Every structure is written in C-alpha cells, then in structure tokens.
Amino acid sequence: MATFSNSRALSNLAVVLVSIVITSLVTPSAGNFNTDVDINWGDGRGKILDGGRLLTLSLDQYSGSGFQSKNEYLFGRFDMQLKLVPGDSAGTVTTFFLSSQGDGHDEIDFEFLGNASGEPYTVHTNVYSQGKGNKEQQFHLWFDPTAAFHTYSIVWNSQRIIFLVDNIPIRVFNNNQAIGIPFPTNQPMRVYCSLWNADDWATQGGRIKTDWTKAPFTAYYRNFNANGNVCASGSNVGSCASKSVDSSSSGSWQTQELDAKGRNRLRWVQQKHMVYNYCADVQRFPQGFSAECKRSRF
C-alpha cells in the first residue's frame, strides 16, 4: 500500500515538473495586440502595452473590460498566456473563449472564477452548440495562476475540442453528432477575452462577494496566437476553410488528438484536479445524463 502511494505521489510530482518545464518552453509564436484585436468595451480599462506584446484588463465597481479578435475563424488552435488577478479575487471572472453571435450561437469557454485570498481559482470550461450548453467541467489548477504567466489553449477541429493548460490536456469534448449531440462545425467564431464582476454566482455559489476596496482588479494577457481558418466577415463557410492565418504552419491542429502520453495526463488532471463534471451531477440531471457521458473521457 505504501509503495503504491509513493508511486502515485512520484507520478503526480512528475506531471507537475513537466508542467513547469513546458511553461518555460511553450511560448506561442506571439501576435501583436495592436494589429490582432480590438478593445471592444471598458471605456479605457483595457490597455495595450509594451509595443503590442501585453494587454491588461481592469475591473472596478463601475465596469469591467474586454477585447475581441479582429478575425473570425472556423476551426483552429488558439493560445493565450494569462496571469490572473492576484490576492482577493472573489467575485471576478477572467475569460478566454471563442464565440459566434446571434440566436443558436456556438461557444467554447475558458473562464477563471476568482476566490478569496488563499483559496484556489476555479477553471470553468463549457461548450455551446446551436445555443445549447450545459457541458460544464471545472478544475482547480496545480499551480498558482496569479504568480506567473501560463499558456491556455483551445484546439477546435471537426473531430474534437481539446482544452490545454501549459500544453497539458485537461478536457476533450468529442464530436458526437452521430448520436445526436450538437457540435460546433459551421459557425465562424471570434476570440473574446474579458474581466467582469459576477459575484452573484462566481465564488462559492455567490456566497462571497467582490470586495471593491481591493479594486481595481487587473488581469494580464500576452502571446496571443491564432492558427486557423480565417473567415472574411460575412463570408460563407466554404470560403473560410481554404484560408489559413499562417500558410507556413503544418496545420497539425486540423487532426490533433491525444496520444498515449496525452491520455495519461488527461486522466491525471481529471482524477486529481476536476471539481465538477456535468456527467456526474445527478441532482441537476435527474432524468439522466447526456448520451456522450456514457463514452470514455480518455
């Protein structure tokens, strides 16, 4: 029994060390915020600094702030390095997500739910297709996301969506249209990022409110990289697929899936760091779970 526990501890330590090494090595080929995004709300609370290499969003009692990519994409890999609001971040939500617009929209979410000082952030993930979500999985990270920048990535292709943290997969949402589960395949999406107040639900179910004496709250973004099929505004879907944002790229995201090592890392994250899974919430779904929940996560 002791041997098994020690082996597991060493295995967990190995994954953490790999994460640290990857953090230092995985630096997406960075774009420039001056040319790649528009700060679309916040009345000056979003700022592009350091020649376009850094973007800060701030939140006070009057407003949050946000930005969006200039381009729309149909499939791709999207990387962003974030350093989250430090200290007492209760009530705040920092985001990095893809979304289309209008009724029946598609959306792929990374949301970082703040907490009281000393308590862990919750990483909230969700997938919407044709306006329907309810696919939430939540995690606590194995590092302090406020102490340094870490890379958060979304891989979206026609077969699956992969959520990664420092290139470690934390979640895979497969295309299960064959069994009637909607999957985002035909609506171009922009990248959106924001910092806003959600103290009615974000921290411990809304029990802990935002402490405005700590405002302004600030989140930091850098090294935005979007490698995907760029869609001209108002174009039809067919014209998106032939245009890549980076013609020199290998386009590995188009067929990316997990190998044996990736599945082992995913299993480790989901067994050790997952704190909520819609596929296990009997109280919320007493009528039974969605059909994809019966398939292996790994």
mmCIF file of all heavy atoms in Angstrom, residues 198-237:
data_model
loop_
_atom_site.group_PDB
_atom_site.id
_atom_site.type_symbol
_atom_site.label_atom_id
_atom_site.label_comp_id
_atom_site.label_asym_id
_atom_site.label_seq_id
_atom_site.Cartn_x
_atom_site.Cartn_y
_atom_site.Cartn_z
ATOM 1 N N ALA A 198 -19.018 39.026 -11.379
ATOM 2 C CA ALA A 198 -20.123 38.056 -11.363
ATOM 3 C C ALA A 198 -20.288 37.534 -9.945
ATOM 4 O O ALA A 198 -20.391 36.333 -9.718
ATOM 5 C CB ALA A 198 -19.846 36.917 -12.336
ATOM 6 N N ASP A 199 -20.303 38.455 -8.983
ATOM 7 C CA ASP A 199 -20.315 37.992 -7.587
ATOM 8 C C ASP A 199 -21.664 37.425 -7.154
ATOM 9 O O ASP A 199 -21.807 36.952 -6.031
ATOM 10 C CB ASP A 199 -19.827 39.077 -6.619
ATOM 11 C CG ASP A 199 -20.742 40.287 -6.514
ATOM 12 O OD1 ASP A 199 -21.810 40.292 -7.161
ATOM 13 O OD2 ASP A 199 -20.381 41.223 -5.785
ATOM 14 N N ASP A 200 -22.645 37.413 -8.070
ATOM 15 C CA ASP A 200 -23.909 36.748 -7.753
ATOM 16 C C ASP A 200 -23.802 35.226 -7.885
ATOM 17 O O ASP A 200 -24.667 34.503 -7.391
ATOM 18 C CB ASP A 200 -25.042 37.284 -8.633
ATOM 19 C CG ASP A 200 -24.751 37.164 -10.119
ATOM 20 O OD1 ASP A 200 -23.566 37.181 -10.504
ATOM 21 O OD2 ASP A 200 -25.706 37.054 -10.903
ATOM 22 N N TRP A 201 -22.717 34.734 -8.549
ATOM 23 C CA TRP A 201 -22.589 33.281 -8.711
ATOM 24 C C TRP A 201 -21.152 32.764 -8.746
ATOM 25 O O TRP A 201 -20.904 31.582 -8.494
ATOM 26 C CB TRP A 201 -23.277 32.824 -10.006
ATOM 27 C CG TRP A 201 -22.640 33.369 -11.264
ATOM 28 C CD1 TRP A 201 -22.957 34.526 -11.905
ATOM 29 C CD2 TRP A 201 -21.573 32.788 -12.033
ATOM 30 N NE1 TRP A 201 -22.155 34.712 -13.008
ATOM 31 C CE2 TRP A 201 -21.300 33.654 -13.116
ATOM 32 C CE3 TRP A 201 -20.821 31.619 -11.905
ATOM 33 C CZ2 TRP A 201 -20.316 33.390 -14.065
ATOM 34 C CZ3 TRP A 201 -19.827 31.359 -12.861
ATOM 35 C CH2 TRP A 201 -19.585 32.237 -13.924
ATOM 36 N N ALA A 202 -20.162 33.606 -9.024
ATOM 37 C CA ALA A 202 -18.836 33.112 -9.409
ATOM 38 C C ALA A 202 -18.069 32.448 -8.268
ATOM 39 O O ALA A 202 -17.354 31.464 -8.496
ATOM 40 C CB ALA A 202 -18.002 34.253 -10.001
ATOM 41 N N THR A 203 -18.158 32.968 -7.072
ATOM 42 C CA THR A 203 -17.323 32.486 -5.971
ATOM 43 C C THR A 203 -18.182 31.791 -4.923
ATOM 44 O O THR A 203 -19.017 32.424 -4.280
ATOM 45 C CB THR A 203 -16.534 33.646 -5.341
ATOM 46 O OG1 THR A 203 -15.767 34.292 -6.366
ATOM 47 C CG2 THR A 203 -15.603 33.142 -4.255
ATOM 48 N N GLN A 204 -17.943 30.491 -4.812
ATOM 49 C CA GLN A 204 -18.669 29.671 -3.824
ATOM 50 C C GLN A 204 -20.174 29.889 -3.930
ATOM 51 O O GLN A 204 -20.867 30.122 -2.931
ATOM 52 C CB GLN A 204 -18.141 29.941 -2.418
ATOM 53 C CG GLN A 204 -16.653 29.611 -2.273
ATOM 54 C CD GLN A 204 -16.112 29.864 -0.885
ATOM 55 O OE1 GLN A 204 -16.818 29.692 0.100
ATOM 56 N NE2 GLN A 204 -14.837 30.254 -0.792
ATOM 57 N N GLY A 205 -20.646 29.834 -5.183
ATOM 58 C CA GLY A 205 -22.077 29.949 -5.436
ATOM 59 C C GLY A 205 -22.659 31.315 -5.154
ATOM 60 O O GLY A 205 -23.879 31.456 -4.993
ATOM 61 N N GLY A 206 -21.819 32.341 -5.109
ATOM 62 C CA GLY A 206 -22.288 33.696 -4.842
ATOM 63 C C GLY A 206 -22.266 34.077 -3.377
ATOM 64 O O GLY A 206 -22.645 35.188 -3.015
ATOM 65 N N ARG A 207 -21.784 33.167 -2.523
ATOM 66 C CA ARG A 207 -21.764 33.465 -1.083
ATOM 67 C C ARG A 207 -20.722 34.514 -0.725
ATOM 68 O O ARG A 207 -20.880 35.252 0.245
ATOM 69 C CB ARG A 207 -21.504 32.181 -0.282
ATOM 70 C CG ARG A 207 -22.674 31.203 -0.301
ATOM 71 C CD ARG A 207 -22.442 30.034 0.641
ATOM 72 N NE ARG A 207 -21.298 29.219 0.248
ATOM 73 C CZ ARG A 207 -21.363 28.246 -0.660
ATOM 74 N NH1 ARG A 207 -22.501 27.980 -1.266
ATOM 75 N NH2 ARG A 207 -20.288 27.537 -0.961
ATOM 76 N N ILE A 208 -19.629 34.584 -1.505
ATOM 77 C CA ILE A 208 -18.582 35.571 -1.238
ATOM 78 C C ILE A 208 -18.641 36.643 -2.323
ATOM 79 O O ILE A 208 -18.561 36.329 -3.513
ATOM 80 C CB ILE A 208 -17.197 34.912 -1.186
ATOM 81 C CG1 ILE A 208 -17.156 33.861 -0.073
ATOM 82 C CG2 ILE A 208 -16.108 35.964 -0.988
ATOM 83 C CD1 ILE A 208 -15.808 33.201 0.101
ATOM 84 N N LYS A 209 -18.777 37.870 -1.913
ATOM 85 C CA LYS A 209 -18.960 38.986 -2.841
ATOM 86 C C LYS A 209 -17.626 39.676 -3.141
ATOM 87 O O LYS A 209 -16.624 39.495 -2.441
ATOM 88 C CB LYS A 209 -19.940 40.004 -2.257
ATOM 89 C CG LYS A 209 -21.309 39.425 -1.899
ATOM 90 C CD LYS A 209 -22.011 38.847 -3.118
ATOM 91 C CE LYS A 209 -23.403 38.345 -2.795
ATOM 92 N NZ LYS A 209 -24.069 37.721 -3.965
ATOM 93 N N THR A 210 -17.641 40.469 -4.195
ATOM 94 C CA THR A 210 -16.466 41.249 -4.568
ATOM 95 C C THR A 210 -16.188 42.313 -3.513
ATOM 96 O O THR A 210 -17.093 43.034 -3.085
ATOM 97 C CB THR A 210 -16.704 41.926 -5.928
ATOM 98 O OG1 THR A 210 -17.049 40.934 -6.888
ATOM 99 C CG2 THR A 210 -15.460 42.679 -6.384
ATOM 100 N N ASP A 211 -14.935 42.394 -3.102
ATOM 101 C CA ASP A 211 -14.515 43.429 -2.152
ATOM 102 C C ASP A 211 -13.985 44.616 -2.956
ATOM 103 O O ASP A 211 -12.838 44.618 -3.397
ATOM 104 C CB ASP A 211 -13.432 42.873 -1.225
ATOM 105 C CG ASP A 211 -12.968 43.896 -0.185
ATOM 106 O OD1 ASP A 211 -13.443 45.056 -0.236
ATOM 107 O OD2 ASP A 211 -12.123 43.534 0.657
ATOM 108 N N TRP A 212 -14.833 45.619 -3.148
ATOM 109 C CA TRP A 212 -14.466 46.734 -4.017
ATOM 110 C C TRP A 212 -13.372 47.611 -3.426
ATOM 111 O O TRP A 212 -12.790 48.444 -4.142
ATOM 112 C CB TRP A 212 -15.705 47.562 -4.357
ATOM 113 C CG TRP A 212 -16.686 46.796 -5.199
ATOM 114 C CD1 TRP A 212 -17.935 46.387 -4.850
ATOM 115 C CD2 TRP A 212 -16.470 46.317 -6.533
ATOM 116 N NE1 TRP A 212 -18.517 45.683 -5.884
ATOM 117 C CE2 TRP A 212 -17.652 45.635 -6.932
ATOM 118 C CE3 TRP A 212 -15.405 46.403 -7.438
ATOM 119 C CZ2 TRP A 212 -17.790 45.043 -8.179
ATOM 120 C CZ3 TRP A 212 -15.538 45.823 -8.682
ATOM 121 C CH2 TRP A 212 -16.713 45.146 -9.049
ATOM 122 N N THR A 213 -13.051 47.428 -2.141
ATOM 123 C CA THR A 213 -11.927 48.188 -1.584
ATOM 124 C C THR A 213 -10.611 47.710 -2.183
ATOM 125 O O THR A 213 -9.594 48.410 -2.072
ATOM 126 C CB THR A 213 -11.859 48.058 -0.049
ATOM 127 O OG1 THR A 213 -11.544 46.713 0.318
ATOM 128 C CG2 THR A 213 -13.182 48.462 0.590
ATOM 129 N N LYS A 214 -10.610 46.520 -2.817
ATOM 130 C CA LYS A 214 -9.400 45.986 -3.454
ATOM 131 C C LYS A 214 -9.279 46.417 -4.922
ATOM 132 O O LYS A 214 -8.295 46.111 -5.580
ATOM 133 C CB LYS A 214 -9.386 44.455 -3.383
ATOM 134 C CG LYS A 214 -9.536 43.876 -1.977
ATOM 135 C CD LYS A 214 -8.301 44.127 -1.145
ATOM 136 C CE LYS A 214 -8.217 43.239 0.082
ATOM 137 N NZ LYS A 214 -9.381 43.289 0.971
ATOM 138 N N ALA A 215 -10.310 47.086 -5.453
ATOM 139 C CA ALA A 215 -10.307 47.498 -6.857
ATOM 140 C C ALA A 215 -9.296 48.624 -7.090
ATOM 141 O O ALA A 215 -8.965 49.370 -6.165
ATOM 142 C CB ALA A 215 -11.706 47.943 -7.271
ATOM 143 N N PRO A 216 -8.780 48.791 -8.319
ATOM 144 C CA PRO A 216 -9.136 47.995 -9.493
ATOM 145 C C PRO A 216 -8.428 46.635 -9.514
ATOM 146 O O PRO A 216 -7.295 46.513 -9.048
ATOM 147 C CB PRO A 216 -8.670 48.868 -10.659
ATOM 148 C CG PRO A 216 -7.507 49.634 -10.103
ATOM 149 C CD PRO A 216 -7.851 49.899 -8.662
ATOM 150 N N PHE A 217 -9.127 45.646 -10.060
ATOM 151 C CA PHE A 217 -8.565 44.323 -10.280
ATOM 152 C C PHE A 217 -7.993 44.287 -11.696
ATOM 153 O O PHE A 217 -8.584 44.849 -12.622
ATOM 154 C CB PHE A 217 -9.651 43.259 -10.139
ATOM 155 C CG PHE A 217 -10.353 43.293 -8.801
ATOM 156 C CD1 PHE A 217 -11.563 43.970 -8.650
ATOM 157 C CD2 PHE A 217 -9.811 42.660 -7.696
ATOM 158 C CE1 PHE A 217 -12.215 44.004 -7.425
ATOM 159 C CE2 PHE A 217 -10.454 42.688 -6.457
ATOM 160 C CZ PHE A 217 -11.659 43.367 -6.327
ATOM 161 N N THR A 218 -6.867 43.606 -11.866
ATOM 162 C CA THR A 218 -6.202 43.593 -13.177
ATOM 163 C C THR A 218 -5.788 42.184 -13.558
ATOM 164 O O THR A 218 -5.221 41.448 -12.743
ATOM 165 C CB THR A 218 -4.962 44.506 -13.173
ATOM 166 O OG1 THR A 218 -5.333 45.834 -12.788
ATOM 167 C CG2 THR A 218 -4.324 44.550 -14.554
ATOM 168 N N ALA A 219 -6.090 41.807 -14.817
ATOM 169 C CA ALA A 219 -5.628 40.552 -15.406
ATOM 170 C C ALA A 219 -4.726 40.888 -16.587
ATOM 171 O O ALA A 219 -4.923 41.907 -17.259
ATOM 172 C CB ALA A 219 -6.809 39.697 -15.858
ATOM 173 N N TYR A 220 -3.753 40.011 -16.851
ATOM 174 C CA TYR A 220 -2.718 40.283 -17.842
ATOM 175 C C TYR A 220 -2.735 39.209 -18.934
ATOM 176 O O TYR A 220 -2.793 38.014 -18.645
ATOM 177 C CB TYR A 220 -1.342 40.296 -17.169
ATOM 178 C CG TYR A 220 -1.227 41.298 -16.049
ATOM 179 C CD1 TYR A 220 -1.663 40.986 -14.765
ATOM 180 C CD2 TYR A 220 -0.697 42.561 -16.277
ATOM 181 C CE1 TYR A 220 -1.575 41.907 -13.734
ATOM 182 C CE2 TYR A 220 -0.598 43.495 -15.256
ATOM 183 C CZ TYR A 220 -1.037 43.162 -13.987
ATOM 184 O OH TYR A 220 -0.947 44.077 -12.968
ATOM 185 N N TYR A 221 -2.655 39.661 -20.179
ATOM 186 C CA TYR A 221 -2.658 38.776 -21.341
ATOM 187 C C TYR A 221 -1.422 39.055 -22.193
ATOM 188 O O TYR A 221 -1.041 40.213 -22.385
ATOM 189 C CB TYR A 221 -3.892 39.030 -22.210
ATOM 190 C CG TYR A 221 -5.227 38.702 -21.579
ATOM 191 C CD1 TYR A 221 -5.823 39.564 -20.653
ATOM 192 C CD2 TYR A 221 -5.926 37.546 -21.935
ATOM 193 C CE1 TYR A 221 -7.059 39.274 -20.093
ATOM 194 C CE2 TYR A 221 -7.168 37.248 -21.384
ATOM 195 C CZ TYR A 221 -7.726 38.112 -20.465
ATOM 196 O OH TYR A 221 -8.960 37.828 -19.911
ATOM 197 N N ARG A 222 -0.839 37.994 -22.738
ATOM 198 C CA ARG A 222 0.256 38.180 -23.690
ATOM 199 C C ARG A 222 0.329 36.944 -24.605
ATOM 200 O O ARG A 222 -0.308 35.921 -24.375
ATOM 201 C CB ARG A 222 1.591 38.406 -22.973
ATOM 202 C CG ARG A 222 2.173 37.168 -22.326
ATOM 203 C CD ARG A 222 3.512 37.468 -21.641
ATOM 204 N NE ARG A 222 4.127 36.217 -21.159
ATOM 205 C CZ ARG A 222 5.195 36.146 -20.392
ATOM 206 N NH1 ARG A 222 5.780 37.280 -19.971
ATOM 207 N NH2 ARG A 222 5.688 34.976 -20.024
ATOM 208 N N ASN A 223 1.133 37.070 -25.661
ATOM 209 C CA ASN A 223 1.430 35.960 -26.578
ATOM 210 C C ASN A 223 0.172 35.303 -27.132
ATOM 211 O O ASN A 223 0.027 34.075 -27.130
ATOM 212 C CB ASN A 223 2.309 34.906 -25.887
ATOM 213 C CG ASN A 223 3.733 35.382 -25.696
ATOM 214 O OD1 ASN A 223 4.176 36.323 -26.354
ATOM 215 N ND2 ASN A 223 4.457 34.767 -24.781
ATOM 216 N N PHE A 224 -0.732 36.130 -27.641
ATOM 217 C CA PHE A 224 -1.906 35.600 -28.336
ATOM 218 C C PHE A 224 -1.481 35.031 -29.676
ATOM 219 O O PHE A 224 -0.789 35.679 -30.457
ATOM 220 C CB PHE A 224 -2.928 36.718 -28.533
ATOM 221 C CG PHE A 224 -4.077 36.359 -29.446
ATOM 222 C CD1 PHE A 224 -4.745 35.154 -29.315
ATOM 223 C CD2 PHE A 224 -4.497 37.251 -30.428
ATOM 224 C CE1 PHE A 224 -5.807 34.820 -30.146
ATOM 225 C CE2 PHE A 224 -5.560 36.939 -31.257
ATOM 226 C CZ PHE A 224 -6.216 35.728 -31.118
ATOM 227 N N ASN A 225 -1.884 33.797 -29.928
ATOM 228 C CA ASN A 225 -1.592 33.168 -31.208
ATOM 229 C C ASN A 225 -2.839 32.452 -31.707
ATOM 230 O O ASN A 225 -3.428 31.643 -30.988
ATOM 231 C CB ASN A 225 -0.453 32.153 -31.072
ATOM 232 C CG ASN A 225 -0.090 31.534 -32.410
ATOM 233 O OD1 ASN A 225 0.212 32.240 -33.366
ATOM 234 N ND2 ASN A 225 -0.143 30.213 -32.482
ATOM 235 N N ALA A 226 -3.256 32.771 -32.915
ATOM 236 C CA ALA A 226 -4.394 32.103 -33.543
ATOM 237 C C ALA A 226 -3.922 31.489 -34.846
ATOM 238 O O ALA A 226 -3.489 32.200 -35.752
ATOM 239 C CB ALA A 226 -5.520 33.097 -33.800
ATOM 240 N N ASN A 227 -3.989 30.186 -34.931
ATOM 241 C CA ASN A 227 -3.591 29.467 -36.135
ATOM 242 C C ASN A 227 -4.802 28.671 -36.602
ATOM 243 O O ASN A 227 -5.134 27.627 -36.040
ATOM 244 C CB ASN A 227 -2.408 28.540 -35.830
ATOM 245 C CG ASN A 227 -1.991 27.741 -37.050
ATOM 246 O OD1 ASN A 227 -2.262 28.136 -38.175
ATOM 247 N ND2 ASN A 227 -1.346 26.613 -36.816
ATOM 248 N N GLY A 228 -5.516 29.213 -37.578
ATOM 249 C CA GLY A 228 -6.731 28.558 -38.003
ATOM 250 C C GLY A 228 -7.210 29.076 -39.338
ATOM 251 O O GLY A 228 -6.498 29.797 -40.034
ATOM 252 N N ASN A 229 -8.419 28.685 -39.697
ATOM 253 C CA ASN A 229 -9.022 29.102 -40.954
ATOM 254 C C ASN A 229 -9.720 30.437 -40.751
ATOM 255 O O ASN A 229 -10.710 30.527 -40.025
ATOM 256 C CB ASN A 229 -10.035 28.048 -41.425
ATOM 257 C CG ASN A 229 -9.367 26.709 -41.729
ATOM 258 O OD1 ASN A 229 -8.244 26.656 -42.212
ATOM 259 N ND2 ASN A 229 -10.064 25.625 -41.436
ATOM 260 N N VAL A 230 -9.191 31.455 -41.386
ATOM 261 C CA VAL A 230 -9.726 32.808 -41.232
ATOM 262 C C VAL A 230 -10.913 33.001 -42.165
ATOM 263 O O VAL A 230 -10.853 32.629 -43.341
ATOM 264 C CB VAL A 230 -8.644 33.859 -41.535
ATOM 265 C CG1 VAL A 230 -9.216 35.270 -41.435
ATOM 266 C CG2 VAL A 230 -7.463 33.693 -40.596
ATOM 267 N N CYS A 231 -11.969 33.586 -41.629
ATOM 268 C CA CYS A 231 -13.173 33.842 -42.412
ATOM 269 C C CYS A 231 -13.330 35.336 -42.618
ATOM 270 O O CYS A 231 -13.292 36.098 -41.652
ATOM 271 C CB CYS A 231 -14.414 33.310 -41.689
ATOM 272 S SG CYS A 231 -14.314 31.570 -41.260
ATOM 273 N N ALA A 232 -13.511 35.731 -43.861
ATOM 274 C CA ALA A 232 -13.831 37.131 -44.117
ATOM 275 C C ALA A 232 -15.204 37.422 -43.545
ATOM 276 O O ALA A 232 -16.101 36.574 -43.569
ATOM 277 C CB ALA A 232 -13.800 37.407 -45.614
ATOM 278 N N SER A 233 -15.367 38.608 -42.990
ATOM 279 C CA SER A 233 -16.636 38.972 -42.360
ATOM 280 C C SER A 233 -17.774 38.845 -43.362
ATOM 281 O O SER A 233 -17.710 39.358 -44.477
ATOM 282 C CB SER A 233 -16.554 40.403 -41.833
ATOM 283 O OG SER A 233 -17.757 40.759 -41.215
ATOM 284 N N GLY A 234 -18.797 38.105 -42.986
ATOM 285 C CA GLY A 234 -19.959 37.929 -43.846
ATOM 286 C C GLY A 234 -19.779 36.897 -44.927
ATOM 287 O O GLY A 234 -20.663 36.698 -45.751
ATOM 288 N N SER A 235 -18.633 36.203 -44.933
ATOM 289 C CA SER A 235 -18.395 35.209 -45.981
ATOM 290 C C SER A 235 -19.146 33.928 -45.672
ATOM 291 O O SER A 235 -19.560 33.678 -44.554
ATOM 292 C CB SER A 235 -16.893 34.918 -46.097
ATOM 293 O OG SER A 235 -16.425 34.293 -44.919
ATOM 294 N N ASN A 236 -19.310 33.089 -46.697
ATOM 295 C CA ASN A 236 -19.916 31.796 -46.435
ATOM 296 C C ASN A 236 -18.869 30.851 -45.867
ATOM 297 O O ASN A 236 -17.663 31.073 -45.982
ATOM 298 C CB ASN A 236 -20.578 31.219 -47.693
ATOM 299 C CG ASN A 236 -19.576 30.978 -48.818
ATOM 300 O OD1 ASN A 236 -18.538 30.353 -48.618
ATOM 301 N ND2 ASN A 236 -19.888 31.475 -50.006
ATOM 302 N N VAL A 237 -19.348 29.784 -45.242
ATOM 303 C CA VAL A 237 -18.456 28.874 -44.532
ATOM 304 C C VAL A 237 -17.437 28.251 -45.474
ATOM 305 O O VAL A 237 -16.269 28.065 -45.117
ATOM 306 C CB VAL A 237 -19.292 27.781 -43.815
ATOM 307 C CG1 VAL A 237 -18.396 26.667 -43.301
ATOM 308 C CG2 VAL A 237 -20.068 28.390 -42.673
#
